[in-house]
Amino acid sequence: MAATQPATDSIISFRHVNKVYANGTVGLKDINFDIPRGQFLVVVGLSGAGKSTLLRTINRLHEISSGEIQIDNEAISAYKGKALRQLRCHIGMIFQNFNLVKRSSVEKNVLSGLVGYYPTWKCVLGLFSAHDHQRVVQALDRVSLTPKIFARADELSGGQQQRVAIARTLMQDPHIILADEPVASLDPRTSKDVMDTLKRLNREDGITVIVNLHSVAIARQYADRIIGLRAGELVYDEPIANVTEANLDQIYN
Ligand SMILES: Nc1ncnc2c1ncn2[C@@H]1O[C@H](COP(=O)(O)OP(=O)(O)OP(=O)(O)O)[C@@H](O)[C@H]1O
């Protein structure tokens, strides 16, 4: 494994991070690494290796047991109230099952990305400004779905629904996008649309993207860097230029 030097412009840093679930299962074991701003990082590993756990510690959906996670050089473990809300506002999250309100329109689903910015009652009553509606159009344009703005979410294909989920995160003005198996339930062609969209946002907007993937082939196609987990441990960390079939095997053996 290549030694990972502390990057000067790290957006995320893990320092001796451990996560033990309440039932004693070890989710993460002494994880140390830095993610430079603007990197497209792919996390691979067998089922149960700790990929979802790792991703969810970054926006504090899971609390760590010990160690420290820093975002923009600030430890996030003690964040509460407003600080935690602000942290989450700028971290978009994409899920395998899209997490859309299926019976709502694409527009309403995308507007819901503003939930962290507005009081809940305003969102429930749908009190969005003309500017917000304009931002929805722009976000849908970024994912090539503008013509679908008034469609019901469940009328769209899986790949299109995932792109709506990405547009929803764009409303958050994210610095980081976490994507947990974003293409696991999609066919190869629509997987490509979704991965291309994430890559474009990474390249054009400088958003740091961290994607959990089962498919090593897709990982190799899109990643700037691949890290591998096995039983909660970081067992592989290479820039894409160093990744070979043979050395990737070490994650799975
Ligand atoms: N809430 C929980 N309580 C107890 N153990 C958990 C919990 N969530 C996950 N685990 C366990 O932690 C370990 C890591 O799980 P995690 O979901 O992070 O793995 P993963 O690599 O994302 O797997 P998959 O690819 O199947 O999603 C597994 O042993 C899992 O069973």
Side-chain angles (χ1 to χ4, degrees), residues 130-175:
H131 175 66
D132 296 332
H133 286 278
Q134 189 53 40
R135 285 191 60 205
V136 172
V137 174
Q138 287 164 357
L140 286 172
D141 185 47
R142 300 301 310 281
V143 302
S144 311
L145 276 181
T146 319
K148 299 289 184 189
I149 186 165
F150 299 120
R152 249 173 61 154
D154 58 6
E155 289 168 2
L156 306 186
S157 71
Q160 289 172 331
Q161 289 190 42
Q162 194 58 295
R163 277 148 57 208
V164 172
I166 295 171
R168 180 179 56 192
T169 71
L170 289 180
M171 298 299 280
Q172 294 174 241
D173 191 16
H175 303 165

Side-chain angles (χ1 to χ4, degrees), residues 21-23 25-27 45-54 62 180-181 212 214 229:
Y21 285 102
N23 65 1
T25 306
V26 174
L46 290 170
S47 187
K51 304 183 295 296
S52 297
T53 305
L54 180 103
H62 284 328
D180 197 1
E181 301 285 356
N212 286 350
H214 269 122
L229 296 178

Side-chain angles (χ1 to χ4, degrees), residues 187-204:
D187 63 43
R189 212 193 52 119
T190 47
S191 294
K192 182 177 181 317
D193 289 342
V194 168
M195 291 303 296
D196 284 350
T197 302
L198 288 172
K199 189 78 178 182
R200 186 153 40 80
L201 296 173
N202 166 253
R203 288 293 180 257
E204 292 176 2

Side-chain angles (χ1 to χ4, degrees), residues 1-20:
M1 180 164 42
T4 310
Q5 297 298 323
T8 44
D9 190 23
S10 299
I11 187 165
I12 301 169
S13 302
F14 278 64
R15 296 279 177 267
H16 302 291
V17 171
N18 291 283
K19 165 72 182 172
V20 183

Side-chain angles (χ1 to χ4, degrees), residues 12-33 35 41 43-70 76-77 178 180 210 212 227-236:
I12 301 169
S13 302
F14 278 64
R15 296 279 177 267
H16 302 291
V17 171
N18 291 283
K19 165 72 182 172
V20 183
Y21 285 102
N23 65 1
T25 306
V26 174
L28 298 174
K29 212 171 175 180
D30 197 25
I31 301 288
N32 291 283
F33 70 111
I35 306 176
L41 174 72
V43 185
V44 298
L46 290 170
S47 187
K51 304 183 295 296
S52 297
T53 305
L54 180 103
L55 216 64
R56 284 168 164 72
T57 60
I58 295 170
N59 59 0
R60 297 256 317 267
L61 285 182
H62 284 328
E63 299 294 354
I64 61 175
S65 309
S66 62
E68 186 168 280
I69 297 175
Q70 295 177 357
I76 61 166
S77 299
L178 308 174
D180 197 1
I210 307 168
N212 286 350
I227 66 170
L229 296 178
R230 194 198 306 132
E233 286 188 82
L234 205 157
V235 294
Y236 186 88

